[in-house]
Amino acid sequence: AERWSDVIGLYDKILKIDRTAGFAVAGRARAVRIQSVYSQVRNYLDNPDRLSSAEPLAHARQVLAAANNLAGGGPRLQADAERLGVLISAANTPRQVVLKSDGQTNVVLYRVARFGTLSERRLTLKPGGYVAVGSRAGYRDVRVEFRVLSHDAETVVVVRCTERI
C-alpha cells in the first residue's frame, strides 16, 4: 500500500522490544529512505513552479534519479517519478512569449534584452519569472512582472506607458 510512515512506526515498535533485531534495523532504514524520496518527489509535484529556478531544478533531477534507482519503491512512487520526469522536461522547454506595446514605449526585459520601441515581438523563454520595464518621455515608467509557465503554449505580456507625468 506504500504507507511508508506506517511501516516505519511498525519497525519502531519492534525495535523497542529488541534493538538488535537485524531485519527491523535494515527494514526501517529502507522504509525511511523510500519515504524521504517519495516526499521529495511529491513536493515537486505539488509545487511545480519551483522547477523554474536552476537550483531546485538540479535537485529535482537528483531526486528523480534516486527514485528511479530505488528498488521496491512501489507503483505509486514509480508513477509519481514518471510525472516528475515530465515536469522536469517541461521546465527545460522554452515557451513562446509575445511582448506587446504601443510602438512608443521603450521596452527592456531584464536579464534578456533591450528591445527599444515595439508594437509586437515574439520570442522564446524558459519557464520562470521575468520582469519587463517600459519607459517613455513624459510618462510614468511601468514595471510588469510575469511568469512563463511550463504548461502554457503562449504567454502575452503588454508593456505600455499610459500615465502622463
Side-chain angles (χ1 to χ4, degrees), residues 50-142:
R50 293 190 64 219
L51 298 175
S52 64
S53 298
E55 287 180 25
L57 182 59
H59 182 255
R61 284 190 186 112
Q62 293 172 348
V63 169
L64 180 60
N68 288 334
N69 293 328
L70 197 59
R76 194 172 70 182
L77 176 59
Q78 191 174 24
D80 284 350
E82 288 176 18
R83 287 180 42 215
L84 179 58
V86 169
L87 286 176
I88 289 171
S89 293
N92 280 325
T93 304
R95 301 291 178 193
Q96 193 73 285
V97 176
V98 180
L99 284 177
K100 292 186 175 189
S101 190
D102 53 13
Q104 299 172 348
T105 300
N106 287 307
V107 178
V108 175
L109 186 55
Y110 285 157
R111 298 181 306 147
V112 177
R114 296 178 182 273
F115 295 108
T117 58
L118 58 92
S119 294
E120 182 175 300
R121 177 82 179 250
R122 293 185 172 274
L123 59 148
T124 56
L125 298 172
K126 283 190 174 184
Y130 295 89
V131 176
V133 175
S135 60
R136 179 177 171 192
Y139 289 80
R140 185 173 310 277
D141 291 354
V142 295

Coordinates of all heavy atoms in Angstrom, one line a residue, residues 50-142:
R50 N 8.5 25.6 -8.6 CA 9.9 25.6 -8.1 C 10.9 25.2 -9.2 O 12.0 25.6 -9.1 CB 10.0 24.7 -6.9 CG 9.2 25.2 -5.7 CD 9.5 24.4 -4.5 NE 10.9 24.6 -4.1 CZ 11.6 23.6 -3.6 NH1 11.2 22.4 -3.5 NH2 12.9 23.9 -3.3
L51 N 10.4 24.5 -10.1 CA 11.3 24.0 -11.2 C 11.8 25.1 -12.1 O 12.6 24.8 -13.0 CB 10.7 22.8 -12.0 CG 10.3 21.6 -11.1 CD1 9.6 20.6 -11.9 CD2 11.6 21.0 -10.5
S52 N 11.3 26.3 -12.0 CA 11.7 27.4 -12.9 C 13.0 28.0 -12.4 O 13.6 28.8 -13.2 CB 10.6 28.4 -12.9 OG 10.4 29.0 -11.7
S53 N 13.5 27.6 -11.3 CA 14.8 28.1 -10.8 C 15.8 27.0 -11.0 O 15.5 25.8 -10.9 CB 14.7 28.5 -9.3 OG 13.8 29.5 -9.1
A54 N 17.1 27.4 -11.2 CA 18.1 26.4 -11.5 C 18.4 25.4 -10.4 O 18.6 24.2 -10.7 CB 19.4 27.2 -11.9
E55 N 18.6 25.9 -9.2 CA 18.9 25.0 -8.1 C 17.8 24.0 -7.8 O 18.1 22.8 -7.7 CB 19.3 25.8 -6.8 CG 20.6 26.5 -7.0 CD 21.0 27.3 -5.7 OE1 20.5 26.9 -4.6 OE2 21.8 28.2 -5.8
P56 N 16.6 24.4 -7.6 CA 15.5 23.4 -7.4 C 15.4 22.4 -8.6 O 15.2 21.2 -8.4 CB 14.3 24.2 -7.3 CG 14.7 25.5 -6.8 CD 16.0 25.7 -7.5
L57 N 15.6 22.9 -9.8 CA 15.6 22.0 -11.0 C 16.7 21.0 -10.9 O 16.4 19.8 -11.2 CB 15.7 22.8 -12.3 CG 15.6 22.0 -13.6 CD1 14.3 21.3 -13.7 CD2 15.7 23.0 -14.8
A58 N 17.9 21.4 -10.6 CA 19.0 20.4 -10.4 C 18.7 19.4 -9.3 O 19.0 18.2 -9.5 CB 20.3 21.2 -10.1
H59 N 18.1 19.9 -8.2 CA 17.8 19.0 -7.1 C 16.7 18.0 -7.5 O 16.7 16.8 -7.2 CB 17.4 19.8 -5.9 CG 17.1 18.9 -4.7 ND1 15.8 18.6 -4.3 CD2 17.9 18.2 -3.9 CE1 15.8 17.8 -3.3 NE2 17.1 17.5 -3.0
A60 N 15.7 18.5 -8.3 CA 14.6 17.6 -8.8 C 15.2 16.5 -9.7 O 14.7 15.4 -9.6 CB 13.6 18.4 -9.5
R61 N 16.2 16.8 -10.5 CA 16.9 15.8 -11.3 C 17.5 14.7 -10.4 O 17.5 13.5 -10.7 CB 17.9 16.4 -12.2 CG 17.3 17.1 -13.4 CD 18.4 17.5 -14.4 NE 17.9 18.3 -15.4 CZ 18.2 19.6 -15.6 NH1 19.0 20.2 -14.8 NH2 17.6 20.3 -16.6
Q62 N 18.2 15.1 -9.3 CA 18.8 14.2 -8.4 C 17.7 13.3 -7.7 O 17.9 12.1 -7.6 CB 19.6 14.9 -7.3 CG 20.8 15.6 -7.9 CD 21.5 16.5 -6.8 OE1 20.9 16.8 -5.8 NE2 22.7 17.0 -7.2
V63 N 16.6 14.0 -7.3 CA 15.5 13.2 -6.7 C 14.9 12.2 -7.7 O 14.7 11.1 -7.3 CB 14.4 14.2 -6.2 CG1 13.2 13.4 -5.8 CG2 15.0 15.0 -5.0
L64 N 14.8 12.6 -8.9 CA 14.3 11.7 -9.9 C 15.2 10.5 -10.1 O 14.8 9.4 -10.2 CB 14.0 12.4 -11.3 CG 13.5 11.6 -12.4 CD1 12.2 11.0 -12.1 CD2 13.4 12.4 -13.7
A65 N 16.5 10.8 -10.2 CA 17.5 9.7 -10.3 C 17.4 8.7 -9.1 O 17.4 7.5 -9.3 CB 18.9 10.3 -10.5
A66 N 17.3 9.3 -7.9 CA 17.2 8.5 -6.7 C 15.9 7.6 -6.8 O 15.9 6.4 -6.4 CB 17.2 9.3 -5.5
A67 N 14.8 8.2 -7.2 CA 13.5 7.5 -7.3 C 13.6 6.4 -8.3 O 13.1 5.2 -8.1 CB 12.4 8.4 -7.6
N68 N 14.3 6.6 -9.4 CA 14.4 5.6 -10.5 C 15.3 4.5 -10.1 O 15.2 3.4 -10.6 CB 14.9 6.2 -11.8 CG 13.8 7.1 -12.4 OD1 12.6 6.8 -12.2 ND2 14.1 8.0 -13.2
N69 N 16.3 4.8 -9.2 CA 17.3 3.7 -8.8 C 16.8 3.0 -7.5 O 17.5 2.1 -7.1 CB 18.7 4.4 -8.6 CG 19.3 4.9 -9.9 OD1 19.0 4.3 -10.9 ND2 20.0 5.9 -9.8
L70 N 15.7 3.4 -7.0 CA 15.3 2.9 -5.7 C 14.5 1.6 -6.0 O 13.5 1.5 -6.6 CB 14.3 3.9 -5.0 CG 14.0 3.7 -3.5 CD1 15.3 3.7 -2.7 CD2 13.1 4.8 -3.1
A71 N 15.0 0.5 -5.4 CA 14.4 -0.8 -5.6 C 13.2 -1.0 -4.6 O 13.4 -0.7 -3.4 CB 15.4 -2.0 -5.4
G72 N 12.1 -1.5 -5.1 CA 11.0 -1.7 -4.2 C 10.2 -0.5 -3.7 O 9.5 -0.6 -2.7
G73 N 10.3 0.6 -4.4 CA 9.5 1.7 -4.0 C 8.0 1.6 -4.2 O 7.2 2.3 -3.6
G74 N 7.6 0.8 -5.2 CA 6.2 0.6 -5.4 C 5.7 1.3 -6.6 O 6.3 2.3 -7.1
P75 N 4.5 0.9 -7.1 CA 3.9 1.5 -8.3 C 3.5 3.0 -8.1 O 3.6 3.8 -9.1 CB 2.7 0.7 -8.6 CG 2.4 0.0 -7.3 CD 3.7 -0.2 -6.6
R76 N 3.1 3.4 -7.0 CA 2.7 4.8 -6.8 C 3.9 5.7 -6.9 O 3.9 6.8 -7.5 CB 2.0 5.0 -5.4 CG 1.3 6.3 -5.3 CD 0.5 6.4 -4.0 NE 1.4 6.4 -2.9 CZ 1.0 6.4 -1.6 NH1 -0.3 6.4 -1.3 NH2 1.9 6.5 -0.6
L77 N 5.0 5.3 -6.3 CA 6.3 6.1 -6.4 C 6.8 6.1 -7.8 O 7.2 7.2 -8.3 CB 7.4 5.5 -5.4 CG 8.7 6.2 -5.5 CD1 8.6 7.7 -5.2 CD2 9.7 5.5 -4.6
Q78 N 6.7 5.0 -8.5 CA 7.1 4.9 -9.9 C 6.3 5.8 -10.8 O 6.8 6.6 -11.6 CB 7.0 3.5 -10.4 CG 7.7 3.2 -11.7 CD 7.7 1.8 -12.0 OE1 6.8 1.0 -11.5 NE2 8.6 1.3 -12.9
A79 N 5.0 5.9 -10.6 CA 4.1 6.7 -11.4 C 4.4 8.2 -11.1 O 4.4 9.0 -12.0 CB 2.6 6.4 -11.1
D80 N 4.6 8.5 -9.8 CA 4.9 9.9 -9.4 C 6.3 10.3 -10.0 O 6.5 11.5 -10.4 CB 4.9 10.1 -7.9 CG 3.4 10.2 -7.4 OD1 2.5 10.3 -8.2 OD2 3.3 10.2 -6.2
A81 N 7.2 9.4 -10.0 CA 8.5 9.7 -10.6 C 8.4 10.0 -12.1 O 9.1 10.9 -12.6 CB 9.5 8.6 -10.3
E82 N 7.6 9.2 -12.8 CA 7.4 9.5 -14.2 C 6.8 10.9 -14.4 O 7.2 11.6 -15.3 CB 6.4 8.4 -14.8 CG 7.1 7.1 -14.9 CD 6.2 6.0 -15.4 OE1 5.1 6.3 -16.0 OE2 6.5 4.8 -15.3
R83 N 5.8 11.2 -13.6 CA 5.2 12.6 -13.7 C 6.2 13.7 -13.4 O 6.2 14.7 -14.1 CB 4.0 12.7 -12.7 CG 2.8 12.0 -13.1 CD 1.6 12.1 -12.2 NE 1.4 13.4 -11.7 CZ 1.0 13.6 -10.4 NH1 0.7 12.7 -9.6 NH2 0.8 14.9 -10.0
L84 N 7.1 13.4 -12.4 CA 8.2 14.4 -12.2 C 9.1 14.5 -13.4 O 9.5 15.6 -13.7 CB 9.0 14.0 -10.9 CG 10.2 14.9 -10.5 CD1 9.7 16.3 -10.3 CD2 10.9 14.4 -9.3
G85 N 9.4 13.4 -14.0 CA 10.3 13.5 -15.2 C 9.6 14.3 -16.3 O 10.3 15.1 -17.0
V86 N 8.3 14.2 -16.5 CA 7.6 15.1 -17.5 C 7.7 16.5 -17.1 O 8.0 17.4 -17.9 CB 6.1 14.6 -17.6 CG1 5.3 15.6 -18.4 CG2 6.0 13.2 -18.2
L87 N 7.6 16.8 -15.8 CA 7.7 18.2 -15.3 C 9.1 18.8 -15.5 O 9.2 20.0 -15.9 CB 7.3 18.4 -13.8 CG 5.8 18.2 -13.5 CD1 5.6 18.3 -12.0 CD2 5.0 19.3 -14.2
I88 N 10.1 18.0 -15.3 CA 11.5 18.4 -15.5 C 11.7 18.7 -17.0 O 12.3 19.7 -17.3 CB 12.4 17.4 -15.0 CG1 12.4 17.4 -13.4 CG2 13.9 17.6 -15.4 CD1 13.2 16.2 -12.8
S89 N 11.2 17.9 -17.9 CA 11.4 18.1 -19.3 C 10.6 19.4 -19.7 O 11.2 20.2 -20.5 CB 10.8 17.0 -20.1 OG 11.6 15.8 -19.9
A90 N 9.5 19.6 -19.2 CA 8.7 20.8 -19.5 C 9.4 22.1 -19.0 O 9.4 23.1 -19.6 CB 7.3 20.7 -18.9
A91 N 10.1 22.0 -17.8 CA 10.7 23.1 -17.3 C 11.9 23.5 -18.1 O 12.4 24.7 -18.0 CB 11.2 22.8 -15.8
N92 N 12.5 22.6 -18.9 CA 13.6 22.9 -19.8 C 13.2 23.3 -21.2 O 14.0 23.7 -22.0 CB 14.5 21.7 -19.9 CG 15.4 21.6 -18.7 OD1 15.9 22.6 -18.1 ND2 15.7 20.4 -18.3
T93 N 11.9 23.2 -21.5 CA 11.4 23.5 -22.8 C 11.0 25.0 -22.9 O 10.1 25.4 -22.2 CB 10.2 22.6 -23.1 OG1 10.6 21.3 -22.9 CG2 9.7 22.9 -24.6
P94 N 11.7 25.8 -23.8 CA 11.3 27.2 -23.9 C 9.9 27.3 -24.5 O 9.4 26.5 -25.2 CB 12.3 27.7 -25.0 CG 13.5 26.8 -24.9 CD 12.9 25.4 -24.6
R95 N 9.2 28.4 -24.0 CA 7.8 28.6 -24.4 C 7.8 29.9 -25.2 O 8.6 30.8 -25.0 CB 7.0 28.7 -23.2 CG 6.9 27.5 -22.3 CD 6.2 26.4 -23.1 NE 6.2 25.2 -22.3 CZ 5.9 24.0 -22.8 NH1 5.6 23.9 -24.0 NH2 6.0 23.0 -22.0
Q96 N 6.7 30.0 -26.0 CA 6.5 31.2 -26.8 C 6.0 32.4 -25.9 O 5.1 32.2 -25.1 CB 5.5 30.9 -27.9 CG 5.4 31.9 -29.0 CD 6.6 31.9 -29.9 OE1 7.6 32.3 -29.6 NE2 6.4 31.4 -31.1
V97 N 6.6 33.6 -26.1 CA 6.2 34.8 -25.3 C 6.0 35.9 -26.4 O 6.8 36.0 -27.3 CB 7.2 35.2 -24.3 CG1 6.8 36.5 -23.6 CG2 7.4 34.1 -23.3
V98 N 4.9 36.6 -26.2 CA 4.6 37.7 -27.1 C 4.6 39.0 -26.3 O 3.9 39.1 -25.3 CB 3.2 37.6 -27.8 CG1 2.9 38.8 -28.7 CG2 3.1 36.3 -28.5
L99 N 5.6 39.9 -26.6 CA 5.6 41.2 -25.9 C 4.8 42.2 -26.8 O 5.1 42.3 -28.0 CB 7.1 41.7 -25.8 CG 7.9 41.1 -24.7 CD1 9.4 41.6 -24.8 CD2 7.4 41.3 -23.4
K100 N 3.9 42.9 -26.2 CA 3.1 43.9 -27.0 C 3.3 45.2 -26.3 O 3.4 45.3 -25.1 CB 1.6 43.5 -27.0 CG 1.3 42.3 -27.8 CD -0.2 42.0 -27.8 CE -0.4 40.8 -28.8 NZ -1.8 40.7 -29.1
S101 N 3.3 46.2 -27.2 CA 3.5 47.6 -26.7 C 2.8 48.5 -27.6 O 2.1 48.1 -28.6 CB 4.9 48.0 -26.5 OG 5.1 49.2 -25.8
D102 N 3.0 49.8 -27.5 CA 2.3 50.8 -28.3 C 3.1 51.4 -29.4 O 2.7 52.3 -30.1 CB 1.7 51.9 -27.4 CG 2.7 52.6 -26.5 OD1 4.0 52.3 -26.7 OD2 2.4 53.3 -25.6
G103 N 4.3 50.9 -29.5 CA 5.2 51.5 -30.6 C 5.9 52.8 -30.1 O 6.7 53.3 -30.9
Q104 N 5.7 53.2 -28.9 CA 6.3 54.5 -28.4 C 7.0 54.2 -27.1 O 7.8 55.1 -26.6 CB 5.2 55.6 -28.2 CG 4.6 55.9 -29.5 CD 3.4 56.9 -29.3 OE1 2.9 57.1 -28.2 NE2 2.9 57.4 -30.4
T105 N 6.7 53.1 -26.4 CA 7.3 52.8 -25.1 C 8.6 52.0 -25.4 O 8.6 51.0 -26.1 CB 6.3 52.0 -24.3 OG1 5.2 52.8 -24.1 CG2 6.9 51.6 -22.9
N106 N 9.7 52.4 -24.7 CA 10.9 51.6 -24.8 C 10.8 50.4 -23.8 O 10.5 50.6 -22.7 CB 12.2 52.4 -24.4 CG 12.5 53.4 -25.4 OD1 12.7 53.0 -26.6 ND2 12.6 54.7 -25.1
V107 N 11.0 49.2 -24.3 CA 10.8 48.0 -23.5 C 12.1 47.3 -23.3 O 12.9 47.1 -24.2 CB 9.8 47.0 -24.3 CG1 9.7 45.8 -23.5 CG2 8.5 47.7 -24.5
V108 N 12.3 47.0 -22.0 CA 13.5 46.2 -21.6 C 13.0 45.0 -20.8 O 12.2 45.1 -19.9 CB 14.4 47.0 -20.6 CG1 15.6 46.2 -20.1 CG2 14.9 48.3 -21.4
L109 N 13.5 43.8 -21.2 CA 13.2 42.6 -20.5 C 14.4 42.2 -19.7 O 15.5 41.8 -20.3 CB 12.8 41.5 -21.5 CG 12.3 40.2 -20.9 CD1 11.1 40.4 -19.9 CD2 11.9 39.2 -22.0
Y110 N 14.4 42.4 -18.4 CA 15.6 42.2 -17.5 C 16.2 40.8 -17.8 O 15.4 39.9 -17.9 CB 15.3 42.4 -16.1 CG 15.1 43.8 -15.6 CD1 14.4 44.1 -14.5 CD2 15.7 44.9 -16.3 CE1 14.2 45.4 -14.1 CE2 15.5 46.2 -15.9 CZ 14.8 46.5 -14.8 OH 14.6 47.8 -14.4
R111 N 17.5 40.8 -17.8 CA 18.3 39.5 -18.0 C 18.1 38.9 -19.3 O 18.5 37.8 -19.6 CB 18.0 38.5 -16.9 CG 18.3 39.0 -15.5 CD 18.1 38.0 -14.4 NE 16.7 37.5 -14.5 CZ 16.3 36.3 -14.2 NH1 17.2 35.4 -13.8 NH2 15.0 35.9 -14.3
V112 N 17.4 39.6 -20.3 CA 17.2 39.0 -21.6 C 17.7 40.0 -22.7 O 18.6 39.7 -23.4 CB 15.7 38.7 -21.8 CG1 15.5 38.1 -23.2 CG2 15.2 37.6 -20.8
A113 N 17.0 41.1 -22.8 CA 17.4 42.1 -23.9 C 16.7 43.4 -23.7 O 15.7 43.6 -23.0 CB 17.0 41.5 -25.2
R114 N 17.3 44.4 -24.4 CA 16.7 45.8 -24.5 C 16.1 45.8 -25.9 O 16.8 45.6 -26.9 CB 17.7 46.9 -24.4 CG 18.4 46.9 -23.1 CD 19.4 48.0 -23.1 NE 20.1 48.1 -21.8 CZ 19.6 48.8 -20.7 NH1 18.5 49.6 -20.9 NH2 20.3 48.8 -19.6
F115 N 14.8 45.9 -26.0 CA 14.1 45.9 -27.3 C 13.8 47.2 -27.9 O 13.5 47.3 -29.1 CB 12.8 45.1 -27.2 CG 13.0 43.7 -26.8 CD1 12.7 43.2 -25.5 CD2 13.5 42.7 -27.7 CE1 12.8 41.9 -25.1 CE2 13.6 41.4 -27.3 CZ 13.3 41.0 -26.1
G116 N 13.9 48.3 -27.2 CA 13.5 49.6 -27.7 C 12.0 49.7 -27.9 O 11.3 49.0 -27.2
T117 N 11.6 50.5 -28.8 CA 10.1 50.6 -29.1 C 9.7 49.5 -30.0 O 10.4 49.0 -30.9 CB 9.8 52.0 -29.7 OG1 10.5 52.0 -31.0 CG2 10.1 53.1 -28.8
L118 N 8.5 49.0 -29.7 CA 8.0 47.9 -30.5 C 6.5 47.9 -30.4 O 5.9 48.4 -29.5 CB 8.5 46.5 -30.0 CG 8.3 46.2 -28.5 CD1 7.1 45.3 -28.3 CD2 9.5 45.4 -28.0
S119 N 5.8 47.2 -31.4 CA 4.4 47.0 -31.3 C 4.1 45.6 -30.9 O 3.3 45.3 -30.0 CB 3.8 47.2 -32.7 OG 3.9 48.6 -33.1
E120 N 4.9 44.7 -31.4 CA 4.8 43.3 -31.0 C 6.1 42.6 -31.3 O 6.7 42.8 -32.4 CB 3.7 42.6 -31.8 CG 3.5 41.1 -31.4 CD 2.2 40.5 -32.0 OE1 1.1 41.0 -31.8 OE2 2.4 39.5 -32.7
R121 N 6.5 41.7 -30.4 CA 7.8 41.0 -30.6 C 7.5 39.6 -30.0 O 7.1 39.4 -28.9 CB 8.9 41.7 -29.8 CG 10.2 41.0 -29.8 CD 10.9 41.3 -31.1 NE 12.2 40.7 -31.2 CZ 13.4 41.3 -31.1 NH1 13.4 42.6 -31.0 NH2 14.5 40.7 -31.2
R122 N 7.8 38.6 -30.8 CA 7.7 37.2 -30.4 C 9.1 36.6 -30.0 O 10.1 36.9 -30.7 CB 7.1 36.3 -31.5 CG 5.7 36.7 -31.8 CD 5.0 35.7 -32.8 NE 3.6 35.9 -32.9 CZ 2.7 35.4 -32.1 NH1 3.1 34.6 -31.1 NH2 1.4 35.7 -32.2
L123 N 9.2 35.9 -28.9 CA 10.5 35.3 -28.5 C 10.2 34.1 -27.7 O 9.0 33.8 -27.3 CB 11.3 36.3 -27.7 CG 10.7 36.9 -26.4 CD1 11.9 37.1 -25.4 CD2 10.1 38.2 -26.7
T124 N 11.2 33.3 -27.5 CA 11.0 32.1 -26.7 C 11.9 32.2 -25.4 O 13.0 32.6 -25.4 CB 11.5 30.8 -27.4 OG1 12.8 30.9 -27.8 CG2 10.6 30.5 -28.6
L125 N 11.2 31.9 -24.3 CA 11.9 32.0 -23.0 C 11.6 30.7 -22.2 O 10.6 30.0 -22.3 CB 11.3 33.1 -22.2 CG 11.5 34.5 -22.7 CD1 10.7 35.5 -21.9 CD2 13.0 34.9 -22.8
K126 N 12.6 30.3 -21.4 CA 12.4 29.2 -20.5 C 11.4 29.5 -19.4 O 11.2 30.7 -19.0 CB 13.7 28.7 -19.8 CG 14.6 28.0 -20.7 CD 15.8 27.4 -19.9 CE 16.6 26.5 -20.8 NZ 17.7 25.9 -20.0
P127 N 10.6 28.5 -18.9 CA 9.7 28.8 -17.8 C 10.4 29.5 -16.6 O 11.5 29.1 -16.3 CB 9.1 27.4 -17.5 CG 9.3 26.7 -18.8 CD 10.5 27.1 -19.4
G128 N 9.7 30.4 -16.0 CA 10.2 31.1 -14.9 C 9.7 32.5 -14.7 O 8.8 32.9 -15.5
G129 N 10.2 33.2 -13.8 CA 9.8 34.6 -13.6 C 10.6 35.6 -14.3 O 11.8 35.5 -14.4
Y130 N 10.0 36.7 -14.8 CA 10.6 37.7 -15.6 C 10.0 39.1 -15.2 O 8.9 39.2 -14.7 CB 10.4 37.5 -17.1 CG 11.1 36.2 -17.6 CD1 10.5 35.0 -17.6 CD2 12.4 36.3 -18.0 CE1 11.1 33.9 -18.1 CE2 13.1 35.1 -18.5 CZ 12.4 33.9 -18.5 OH 13.0 32.8 -18.9
V131 N 10.8 40.1 -15.5 CA 10.4 41.5 -15.3 C 10.6 42.3 -16.6 O 11.7 42.3 -17.1 CB 11.2 42.1 -14.1 CG1 10.7 43.6 -14.0 CG2 10.9 41.4 -12.8
A132 N 9.6 42.9 -17.1 CA 9.7 43.8 -18.2 C 9.4 45.3 -17.7 O 8.6 45.5 -16.9 CB 8.6 43.5 -19.3
V133 N 10.2 46.2 -18.2 CA 10.1 47.6 -17.8 C 9.9 48.4 -19.1 O 10.6 48.2 -20.1 CB 11.3 48.1 -17.1 CG1 11.3 49.6 -16.8 CG2 11.5 47.3 -15.8
G134 N 8.9 49.3 -19.0 CA 8.7 50.2 -20.1 C 8.9 51.7 -19.7 O 8.6 52.1 -18.5
S135 N 9.5 52.4 -20.6 CA 9.8 53.9 -20.3 C 9.4 54.7 -21.5 O 9.6 54.2 -22.7 CB 11.2 54.1 -19.8 OG 12.1 53.7 -20.8
R136 N 9.0 55.9 -21.3 CA 8.6 56.8 -22.4 C 8.7 58.2 -21.8 O 8.2 58.5 -20.7 CB 7.2 56.5 -22.8 CG 6.6 57.3 -23.9 CD 5.2 56.9 -24.3 NE 4.6 57.8 -25.2 CZ 3.4 57.8 -25.6 NH1 2.6 56.9 -25.1 NH2 2.9 58.7 -26.4
A137 N 9.3 59.1 -22.6 CA 9.4 60.5 -22.2 C 8.1 61.1 -21.9 O 7.1 61.0 -22.7 CB 10.2 61.3 -23.2
G138 N 7.9 61.8 -20.7 CA 6.7 62.4 -20.3 C 5.7 61.5 -19.7 O 4.6 61.9 -19.4
Y139 N 6.0 60.2 -19.5 CA 5.1 59.3 -18.9 C 5.8 58.5 -17.8 O 7.0 58.4 -17.7 CB 4.7 58.2 -20.0 CG 3.7 58.8 -21.1 CD1 4.3 59.6 -22.1 CD2 2.4 58.6 -21.0 CE1 3.4 60.1 -23.1 CE2 1.5 59.2 -21.9 CZ 2.1 59.9 -23.0 OH 1.2 60.4 -23.9
R140 N 4.9 58.0 -16.9 CA 5.4 57.2 -15.8 C 5.9 55.9 -16.3 O 5.2 55.2 -17.1 CB 4.3 57.1 -14.7 CG 4.8 56.4 -13.4 CD 3.8 56.3 -12.3 NE 3.2 57.6 -12.1 CZ 3.7 58.6 -11.3 NH1 4.9 58.3 -10.7 NH2 3.1 59.7 -11.1
D141 N 7.1 55.4 -15.8 CA 7.6 54.1 -16.2 C 6.7 53.0 -15.6 O 6.0 53.2 -14.6 CB 9.0 53.9 -15.6 CG 10.0 54.8 -16.3 OD1 9.7 55.5 -17.3 OD2 11.2 54.8 -15.8
V142 N 6.6 51.9 -16.3 CA 5.8 50.8 -15.9 C 6.7 49.6 -15.7 O 7.7 49.4 -16.4 CB 4.7 50.4 -16.8 CG1 3.7 51.5 -16.9 CG2 5.2 50.0 -18.2

